[in-house]
Amino acid sequence: QVQLVESGGGLVQPGGSLRLSCAASVSIFRLSRMGWYRQAPGNERELVARISVSGGGTTGYASSVKGRSTISRDNSKNTVYLQVNNLKPEDTAVYYCYATLLDTGVAYWGQGTQVTVSS
């Protein structure tokens, strides 16, 4: 069982930045991959960014955030971060952290954190 605790959401003005954090309850080295999805009202959940743990830190981004987002990890804190710059109203969504356990392949989800981009 893996618990994920997210933080860092809130209300941000267009053009602003935020950093989301996701802390895992297990050693990050027991995970194969961590990342972030988001879901806006009426939309399906979409992948925002992901980072491999077992694969040397390879990252991937959705085209909608590529170039203005950075996903990173702090192994000592079992935590993954998502930095998003130049926020747009269409970035408004609930952001969910996920992690995949290395030995079972089972994915776990955080409770979600609301990000609202509005003036």
Side-chain angles (χ1 to χ4, degrees):
Q1 189 79 6
V2 179
Q3 293 182 330
L4 302 171
V5 179
E6 300 140 330
S7 60
L11 175 63
V12 185
Q13 291 190 339
S17 299
L18 59 75
R19 188 176 79 157
L20 303 179
S21 301
C22 174
S25 62
V26 300
S27 168
I28 198 170
F29 296 108
R30 290 187 58 195
L31 307 171
S32 60
R33 182 177 293 181
M34 295 184 75
W36 294 87
Y37 277 72
R38 68 185 181 186
Q39 187 168 21
N43 291 355
E44 293 185 355
R45 192 174 292 192
E46 63 171 355
L47 177 67
V48 180
R50 65 178 187 269
I51 184 168
S52 67
V53 178
S54 59
T58 303
T59 59
Y61 299 90
S63 58
S64 57
V65 300
K66 197 169 186 178
R68 58 189 183 95
S69 296
T70 303
I71 187 169
S72 60
R73 69 185 199 222
D74 185 335
N75 296 340
S76 67
K77 296 181 179 179
N78 302 320
T79 298
V80 165
Y81 304 96
L82 177 67
Q83 174 80 30
V84 185
N85 302 318
N86 190 23
L87 282 158
K88 307 173 183 181
E90 50 264 41
D91 293 317
T92 296
V94 178
Y95 284 69
Y96 296 92
C97 175
Y98 81 94
T100 304
L101 207 53
L102 183 60
D103 55 359
T104 64
V106 174
Y108 295 85
W109 295 88
Q111 79 283 0
T113 184
Q114 176 71 47
V115 172
T116 302
V117 183
S118 175
S119 55

